[in-house]
């Protein structure tokens, strides 16, 4: 029987973090969720609040934290452009100062620590698909740099702590992820399209709609994170976690309209600065070393996500009517 552990999840009230907390608690572990609730929401953790194996701490990881744990999943950082560009200095500090504080905690405890990095470290990539050996093409002074370069610096810190202090680290590069608990106001393409479609507003496509992304359902990504953490110390990463099935923004918009039965028209707007033209993971390393690959098709995952947003919008309408 696997040993039950005491596990810290930073950013645990967020989209990915809350799903990870649930999986770890369901696995019999004790979970400490740390979040400053800048983008996280306690409602995401409603199903865990009665569990004796779950605890929430309100804390900003740019300040030191002193706990006793066996493992750390470092997920804290706003991940959507609207939120990470709102306070770019704080975004950078969360990735850099936050990583230093969590690495310091892991060093003191000799605990294994996983960094949730991002496909944004590849920037507007010159190779396609992107594998872990590619160093990326990132603008260091643009409006997305606080997130892109912050995550790149966090990876540097993790590997330097491994080299200098022999710390047990894991680094996952997470590609576009979607599913229930995405915030309707986060500006990410899946939530934007679904909310616009459900309310019959114009679906906003930036650019000509031919730029591509690869979308992975949240359950698959969480499974990959847990498998990476549970592998032996020889598998350090970075490891791409994402779905290699590529779709254009126009194709995604048409699929969302179909699944929602929406009357929305499609509206084109200028492409934002430094927005990547294409994004697709090479996941050979994850398949070979973790035995991991995505299992949820895009259509099936969108059906689940649309149902979540339908309930969210209905609840918001009822609350507004009662006010």
């Amino acid at each position: 029987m696997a040993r039950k552990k005491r596990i810290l999840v930073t950013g645990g009230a967020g989209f990915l973090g809350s799903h990870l907390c649930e999986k770890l608690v369901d696995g019999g572990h004790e979970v400490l969720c740390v979040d400053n609730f800048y983008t996280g929401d306690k409602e995401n953790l409603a199903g865990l609040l009665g569990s004796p194996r779950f605890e929430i701490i309100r804390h900003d990881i740019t300040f030191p934290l002193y706990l006793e744990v066996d493992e750390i999943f470092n997920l804290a950082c706003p991940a959507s452009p609207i939120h990470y560009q709102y306070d770019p200095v704080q975004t950078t500090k969360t990735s850099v100062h936050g990583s230093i504080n969590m690495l310091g905690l892991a060093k003191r405890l000799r605990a294994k620590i996983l960094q949730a990095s991002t496909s944004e470290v590849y920037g507007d990539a010159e190779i396609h698909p992107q594998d872990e050996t590619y160093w990326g093409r990132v603008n260091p002074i643009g409006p997305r740099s606080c997130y892109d370069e912050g995550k790149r610096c966090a990876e540097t810190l993790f590997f330097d702590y491994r080299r200098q202090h022999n710390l047990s680290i894991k680094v996952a590069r997470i590609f576009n992820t979607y599913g229930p608990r995405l915030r309707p106001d986060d500006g990410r393409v899946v939530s934007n399209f679904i909310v616009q479609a459900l309310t019959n507003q114009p679906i906003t496509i930036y650019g000509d709609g031919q730029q591509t992304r690869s979308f992975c359902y949240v359950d698959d990504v969480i499974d990959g994170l847990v498998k990476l953490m549970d592998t032996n110390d020889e598998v350090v990463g970075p490891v791409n976690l994402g779905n290699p099935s590529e779709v254009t923004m126009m194709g995604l918009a048409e699929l969302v309209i179909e699944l929602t039965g929406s009357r929305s028209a499609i509206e084109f707007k200028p492409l934002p600065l430094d927005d990547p033209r294409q994004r697709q993971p090479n996941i050979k390393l994850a398949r070979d070393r973790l035995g991991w690959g995505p299992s949820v098709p895009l259509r099936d995952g969108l059906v689940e996500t649309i149902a979540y947003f339908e309930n969210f919008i209905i609840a918001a309408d009822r609350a507004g009517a009662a006010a």
Side-chain angles (χ1 to χ4, degrees), residues 17-185:
S18 61
H19 285 279
L20 176 60
C21 287
E22 282 186 344
K23 186 172 182 68
L24 295 172
V25 170
D26 287 346
H29 303 293
E30 290 188 27
V31 175
L32 270 67
C33 162
V34 168
D35 207 297
N36 66 354
F37 298 100
Y38 172 58
T39 58
D41 192 328
K42 286 183 181 178
E43 286 297 318
N44 291 337
L45 301 167
L48 292 174
L49 295 180
S51 172
R53 296 194 300 274
F54 181 72
E55 187 176 348
I56 301 176
I57 301 172
R58 181 185 290 270
H59 183 80
D60 185 332
I61 66 162
T62 62
F63 298 94
L65 181 64
Y66 301 98
L67 297 167
E68 302 295 324
V69 294
D70 303 306
E71 292 179 350
I72 302 168
F73 286 84
N74 188 36
L75 274 63
C77 191
S80 71
I82 285 177
H83 293 131
Y84 68 62
Q85 291 176 17
Y86 177 76
D87 189 346
V89 172
Q90 183 64 23
T91 297
T92 304
K93 287 173 68 177
T94 301
S95 285
V96 179
H97 292 186
S99 290
I100 290 169
N101 287 330
M102 291 304 102
L103 287 162
L105 177 63
K107 177 189 169 189
R108 179 178 70 82
L109 300 173
R110 304 312 300 172
K112 188 187 299 185
I113 181 169
L114 181 148
Q115 168 66 5
S117 191
T118 171
S119 61
E120 296 299 327
V121 300
Y122 298 123
D124 192 2
E126 301 156 300
I127 67 165
H128 191 73
Q130 295 82 52
D131 65 40
E132 294 86 350
T133 63
Y134 178 54
W135 289 357
R137 178 173 175 263
V138 175
N139 178 357
I141 58 171
R144 300 170 67 102
S145 306
C146 58
Y147 184 70
D148 302 1
E149 294 286 44
K151 289 288 191 175
R152 285 164 69 94
C153 185
E155 288 194 13
T156 300
L157 286 163
F158 268 68
F159 278 87
D160 282 340
Y161 265 77
R162 174 177 168 82
R163 284 185 285 261
Q164 188 170 338
H165 301 296
N166 196 32
L167 195 62
S168 178
I169 68 161
K170 306 283 183 176
V171 175
R173 289 179 178 163
I174 301 170
F175 282 66
N176 292 69
T177 307
Y178 71 100
R181 297 184 200 150
L182 274 176
R183 285 179 54 144
D185 62 347

Side-chain angles (χ1 to χ4, degrees), residues 173-212:
R173 289 179 178 163
I174 301 170
F175 282 66
N176 292 69
T177 307
Y178 71 100
R181 297 184 200 150
L182 274 176
R183 285 179 54 144
D185 62 347
D186 71 1
R188 285 188 267 198
V189 64
V190 171
S191 48
N192 273 2
F193 283 5
I194 291 175
V195 171
Q196 289 167 342
L198 289 174
T199 54
N200 293 305
Q201 300 175 52
I203 288 186
T204 306
I205 290 181
Y206 295 92
D208 62 6
Q210 296 310 301
Q211 67 270 35
T212 65

